[in-house]
Amino acid sequence: MVNRYLNFNKGMDMSTESRMKVEVWSDVMCPFCYIGKRNYETAVAQFEAKEDIELIWKSYQLDPELPTEGAKDLDVYEYLASRKGISRPQVQAMHAQVTEMAKNAGLEYRLDKSVMANSFKAHRVIALAKEKGLGDLAEERLFHATFIGGKDFGDTDVLKEIGLEVGLSSIEVEEALNNDHYAYQVSSDINEAREIGVTGVPFFVFDRKYAVSGAQPPQSFLQTLEKAHEEWLIEVRSV
């Protein structure tokens, strides 16, 4: 779904930036977010002015009430059945559909191996990775670990392992998990999502004018990129 935010508060004057910003609110426990990432990347690969685009990851929590300890003991099917108010067989059928969607995006999901966890700690690590220009890689490795590797993204040792894979040290991951600065960054993203009316992810915002909600096909992303970029260029040239 594509929307235009006529009264979106752009904050900074993005027309003066050297690249057009695409912001995406996402949660590492959201299977549609990894699919959305792949479909967006497919669109960007076809976009002639890809060097003009900067992708910025924003944190979001689908279920902030999940416990920070012991959530991995939850049965994924029972958890989702209770949360969505549907039966276990319906959840299994839903997972089969999502797995097929992922396959079409080039991803081999193993949702039967999924581990439930509170994602706040993972978002703290992503916040630090973003400061070092490693945000996209951190998202990629966390998504892969979650939906293909069946890893517990709420476990500190797992986060350190992923941190090392993306170029962070164990000490830096510890810093992310213990420094309130990173908790504040995550909370700020979540609060901003609430302010602009985000109720589900992935949620892509193009130059603070257009939004693509959900794991849309690559063509939807490409069309929105082209339109937003065309308007961005006009603004840049008029400055």
Side-chain angles (χ1 to χ4, degrees):
M1 180 174 63
V2 181
N3 295 315
R4 175 146 192 178
Y5 282 85
L6 297 177
N7 297 312
F8 203 115
N9 178 16
K10 292 182 72 171
M12 71 181 80
D13 181 2
M14 291 196 175
S15 66
T16 65
E17 295 292 306
S18 60
R19 290 194 289 171
M20 189 187 88
K21 303 293 190 294
V22 176
E23 299 158 285
V24 53
W25 276 264
S26 170
D27 194 359
V28 296
M29 72 179 295
C30 167
F32 296 105
C33 290
Y34 199 9
I35 298 170
K37 181 178 188 292
R38 274 295 181 275
N39 288 347
Y40 171 81
E41 290 167 345
T42 298
V44 170
Q46 301 172 43
F47 185 57
E48 292 184 0
K50 59 178 66 67
E51 291 79 10
D52 285 349
I53 307 302
E54 179 181 358
L55 182 66
I56 300 173
W57 289 93
K58 300 273 194 172
S59 296
Y60 188 88
Q61 282 199 286
L62 289 171
D63 188 359
E65 301 303 318
L66 271 170
T68 55
E69 301 292 339
K72 66 180 180 180
D73 296 327
L74 293 173
D75 177 88
V76 61
Y77 295 112
E78 293 300 325
Y79 164 77
L80 289 172
S82 175
R83 181 170 173 77
K84 295 180 177 295
I86 58 179
S87 68
R88 185 185 182 94
Q90 286 175 308
V91 173
Q92 291 171 325
M94 180 181 70
H95 270 191
Q97 292 175 342
V98 176
T99 299
E100 187 62 27
M101 283 182 64
K103 187 175 182 180
N104 291 336
L107 300 167
E108 295 293 332
Y109 273 10
R110 287 295 310 276
L111 297 179
D112 58 311
K113 296 171 61 179
S114 296
V115 175
M116 291 293 97
N118 187 300
S119 61
F120 198 85
K121 289 166 66 175
H123 284 299
R124 291 175 72 135
V125 175
I126 292 168
L128 182 144
K130 284 167 56 178
E131 289 185 348
K132 297 180 176 294
L134 300 169
D136 193 71
L137 183 57
E139 292 279 358
E140 176 66 30
R141 295 299 175 87
L142 278 161
F143 281 139
H144 188 279
T146 301
F147 300 114
I148 297 173
K151 298 288 187 70
D152 179 4
F153 56 84
D155 182 84
T156 298
D157 289 337
V158 171
L159 292 175
K160 286 182 178 180
E161 176 186 328
I162 293 171
L164 290 173
E165 289 177 4
V166 305
L168 301 175
S169 68
S170 294
I171 293 175
E172 286 174 321
V173 173
E174 287 283 358
E175 174 74 4
L177 297 177
N178 293 290
N179 189 325
D180 288 343
H181 166 73
Y182 298 104
Y184 174 79
Q185 295 297 326
V186 175
S187 296
S188 294
D189 284 351
I190 294 171
N191 289 337
E192 187 177 18
R194 187 178 300 115
E195 289 171 1
I196 65 176
V198 177
T199 57
V201 287
F203 193 84
F204 290 77
V205 175
F206 297 75
D207 196 35
R208 299 247 157 166
K209 287 184 178 179
Y210 297 96
V212 173
S213 177
Q216 300 297 326
Q219 190 61 26
S220 293
F221 286 114
L222 183 58
Q223 289 173 351
T224 309
L225 267 173
E226 291 172 341
K227 186 169 183 60
H229 182 259
E230 180 182 359
E231 295 182 9
W232 176 82
L233 275 180
I234 293 173
E235 293 175 0
V236 168
R237 291 167 178 168
S238 66
V239 173

